[in-house]
């Protein structure tokens, strides 16, 4: 508008319109989903304390009570099996009662079971407290929890978020393992058990106050979603739904291939290295603290490897990633008996770094395959796949202790686990990704 027309408009009582000034673009606010992921990360870190302890207890309990390594390993085996078998029911319970309630109760049960071990005097108490109670509580805090949070809060970046949340367990191991090993070495195993109980209890308020079950609870869309997703109604019959999903998935070939390969994953990580690496290194006269520190280093590189695997899962076909992970893991296990020595040396450090990068790198591509093949039921299906992971871990945790009692060495266990990893490589390569009526078939 020129000055003359502007003056004429003013004279006629018409107020000239001003050109709107361009607004500065506001900084993009961080989506609430990332805060939920952060709370989940911290929660899993707190719960991971109990996973750092079993391998440190075998020698102290054997020396104090005279229990065989097979008996002590049986409690660890029950714990690992329940960790997996509880997961699918916990995923269904989260659909029924919400994530916050299930996780808060699970952490309390972990604290109770770990705390009660302080007063135990008989082997059956170890089986009850550490095997049953901590196993049930930890099963509800399993990776199905991370899968549920990822599926509800994220549409994009699911692989990356799955990798980050999976790495939380390794971060917890990194934080707690050196502390717990120092407590066991300097002050006996009981203060370490109390530390685990307190760590689980400390996280409960964070879960209750900060965690939310669904984006709709705060009026948001899932991260990356184009449309608002209403919160689904509570699903009654958690146990019935978990079983029905199992029966449906069990009729498909890919489920058994995923379950079998993931069982070998558990056997070669939680069951083997996490449970028996410290006592095996101690057999070669390596100090317990040094061996525990090596496990902590695995935790450092586990974080890097798992997050990188999540990033790769968004870009590379998951089956190929899994095949590479299992093949390289199997080869590394074949060399381990030659690397164990009284002191830490460069080849051992190389093994530790590699095993850390590969430790749970299998989780993001496995979750991605479950999501691709089983859709809305993928969290529960992954819960059952995780159950097989822990059954494999439980078997090797127990059989590894028995083998050590019988043969006086762990060599047979290392070689057998390496061969199993070769079998897992073949299993993931034959998974067919085509679907019929939305359900994968072999």
């Amino acid at each position: 508008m020129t000055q003359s027309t502007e003056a004429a408009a003013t004279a006629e009582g018409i107020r000239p319109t001003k050109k709107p000034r361009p607004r500065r673009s506001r900084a993009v606010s961080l989506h609430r989903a990332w805060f939920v992921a952060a709370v989940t990360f911290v929660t899993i870190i707190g719960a991971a304390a109990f996973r750092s302890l079993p391998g440190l207890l075998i020698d102290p309990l054997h020396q104090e009570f005279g229990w065989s390594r097979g008996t002590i390993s049986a409690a660890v085996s029950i714990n690992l099996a329940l960790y997996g078998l509880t997961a699918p029911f916990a995923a269904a319970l989260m659909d029924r009662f919400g994530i916050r309630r299930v996780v808060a109760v699970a952490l309390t049960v972990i604290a109770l079971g770990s705390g009660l071990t302080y007063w135990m005097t008989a082997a059956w108490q170890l089986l009850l407290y550490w095997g049953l109670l901590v196993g049930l509580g930890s099963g509800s805090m399993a990776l199905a929890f991370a899968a549920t949070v990822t599926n509800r809060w994220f549409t994009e970046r699911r692989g990356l978020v799955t990798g980050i949340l999976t790495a939380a367990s390794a971060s917890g191991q990194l934080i707690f393992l050196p502390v717990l090993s120092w407590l066991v070495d300097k002050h006996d195993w009981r203060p370490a058990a109390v530390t685990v109980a307190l760590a689980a209890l400390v996280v409960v308020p964070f879960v209750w106050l900060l965690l939310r079950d669904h984006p709709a609870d705060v009026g948001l869309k899932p991260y990356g979603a184009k449309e608002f997703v209403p919160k689904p109604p509570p699903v009654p019959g958690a146990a019935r739904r978990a079983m029905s999903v199992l029966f449906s998935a069990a009729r498909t070939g890919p489920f058994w291939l995923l379950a079998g390969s993931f069982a070998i994953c558990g056997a070669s990580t939680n069951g083997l290295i996490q449970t028996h690496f410290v006592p095996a290194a101690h057999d070669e006269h390596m100090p317990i603290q040094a061996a525990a520190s090596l496990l902590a280093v695995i935790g450092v590189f586990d974080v890097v490897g798992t997050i990188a695997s999540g990033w790769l899962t968004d870009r590379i076909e998951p089956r190929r990633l899994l095949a590479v992970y299992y093949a390289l893991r199997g080869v590394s296990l074949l060399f381990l008996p030659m690397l164990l020595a009284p002191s830490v040396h460069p080849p051992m450090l190389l093994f530790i770094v590699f095993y850390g990068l590969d430790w749970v790198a299998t989780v993001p591509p496995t979750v991605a395959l479950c999501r691709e093949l089983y859709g809305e039921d993928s969290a529960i299906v992954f819960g059952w796949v995780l159950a097989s992971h822990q059954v494999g871990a439980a078997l090797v945790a127990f059989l590894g202790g028995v083998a050590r009692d019988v043969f006086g060495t762990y060599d047979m266990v290392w070689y057998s686990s390496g061969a199993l990893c070769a079998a897992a490589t073949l299993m993931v390569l034959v998974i067919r990704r085509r679907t019929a009526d939305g359900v994968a078939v072999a």
Side-chain angles (χ1 to χ4, degrees), residues 60-83:
L61 293 179
H62 173 70
Q63 293 171 5
E64 178 172 340
F65 298 107
W67 302 335
S68 70
R69 290 179 175 83
T71 299
I72 301 168
S73 297
V76 179
S77 179
I78 293 172
N79 177 292
L80 292 172
L82 288 177
Y83 177 88

Side-chain angles (χ1 to χ4, degrees), residues 35-45 141 145-146 149 165 168 211:
F35 290 101
V36 173
V39 174
T40 304
F41 186 90
V42 173
T43 302
I44 296 175
I45 284 178
M141 290 293 303
F145 167 44
V149 170
L165 296 182
L211 194 62

Side-chain angles (χ1 to χ4, degrees), residues 379-435:
I380 297 178
V381 172
F382 179 69
W384 285 113
V385 173
L386 180 63
S388 70
H389 179 282
Q390 295 308 118
V391 169
L395 285 173
V396 171
F398 173 67
L399 293 176
V402 172
R404 172 61 179 80
D405 287 335
V406 173
F407 300 109
T409 178
Y410 283 102
D411 287 357
M412 183 65 68
V413 183
W414 308 131
Y415 296 137
S416 300
S417 298
L420 286 174
C421 288
T425 303
L426 297 176
M427 293 170 74
V428 296
L429 286 175
V430 299
I431 295 175
R432 296 181 182 177
R433 302 181 65 195
R434 64 185 176 88
T435 61

Side-chain angles (χ1 to χ4, degrees), residues 5-292:
T5 55
E6 195 173 300
T10 304
E12 294 177 4
I14 302 173
R15 200 168 183 178
T17 57
K18 295 182 179 180
K19 293 181 181 179
R21 295 179 180 177
R23 295 182 178 180
R24 294 181 180 178
S25 58
R26 295 180 180 177
V28 179
S29 58
L30 193 63
H31 195 283
R32 178 67 176 268
W34 294 107
F35 290 101
V36 173
V39 174
T40 304
F41 186 90
V42 173
T43 302
I44 296 175
I45 284 178
F50 68 87
R51 299 187 64 191
S52 304
L53 194 56
L56 304 177
L57 292 180
I58 293 178
D59 283 337
L61 293 179
H62 173 70
Q63 293 171 5
E64 178 172 340
F65 298 107
W67 302 335
S68 70
R69 290 179 175 83
T71 299
I72 301 168
S73 297
V76 179
S77 179
I78 293 172
N79 177 292
L80 292 172
L82 288 177
Y83 177 88
L85 294 173
T86 305
F89 296 99
L93 285 172
M94 288 177 188
D95 289 340
R96 174 68 178 88
F97 298 105
I99 298 174
R100 281 197 307 170
R101 294 178 182 176
V102 173
V103 173
V105 170
L107 287 167
T108 304
V109 172
I110 290 172
L112 178 65
S114 182
L116 287 174
T117 58
Y118 186 91
W119 293 281
M120 70 179 179
T121 56
W124 67 265
Q125 293 171 327
L126 178 66
L127 298 175
L128 175 62
Y129 301 153
W130 197 261
L132 181 63
L133 291 180
V134 177
L136 288 174
S138 61
S140 300
M141 290 293 303
L143 294 174
F145 167 44
T148 301
V149 170
T150 304
N151 289 347
R152 290 187 182 186
W153 281 89
F154 291 86
T155 300
E156 295 180 354
R157 303 289 187 268
R158 281 177 167 174
L160 176 63
V161 175
T162 301
I164 292 172
L165 296 182
T166 303
S169 180
S171 300
Q173 176 176 298
L174 167 66
I175 293 169
F176 288 105
L177 191 55
V179 176
L180 295 176
S181 64
W182 180 82
L183 286 172
V184 170
D185 187 51
K186 302 296 183 182
H187 302 284
D188 197 23
W189 59 269
R190 288 179 176 83
V194 173
T195 301
V196 170
L198 293 176
L201 283 178
V202 164
V203 181
V204 174
F206 290 94
V207 170
W208 193 255
L209 296 175
L210 301 176
L211 194 62
R212 291 295 179 267
D213 294 329
H214 196 277
D217 289 342
V218 289
L220 293 175
K221 296 181 293 185
Y223 178 82
K226 296 180 180 179
E227 298 179 355
F228 182 81
V229 178
K231 183 178 180 178
V235 181
R240 184 172 62 251
R241 185 179 177 217
M243 295 304 298
S244 66
V245 169
L246 171 63
F247 292 145
S248 175
R251 291 195 291 268
T252 66
F255 173 79
W256 293 106
L257 293 170
L258 284 170
S261 60
F262 217 45
I264 294 172
C265 177
S268 56
T269 52
N270 301 82
L272 181 65
I273 298 296
Q274 192 166 49
T275 304
H276 293 293
F277 178 81
V278 172
H282 191 56
D283 282 349
E284 302 297 329
H285 308 292
M286 182 182 292
I288 290 179
Q289 281 187 276

Side-chain angles (χ1 to χ4, degrees), residues 167 170-171 173-175 293-306 352-353 356-357:
S171 300
Q173 176 176 298
L174 167 66
I175 293 169
S293 296
L294 290 177
L295 275 185
V297 173
I298 285 180
V300 174
F301 288 94
D302 187 7
V303 174
V304 177
T306 308
I352 293 296
V353 170
L357 292 172

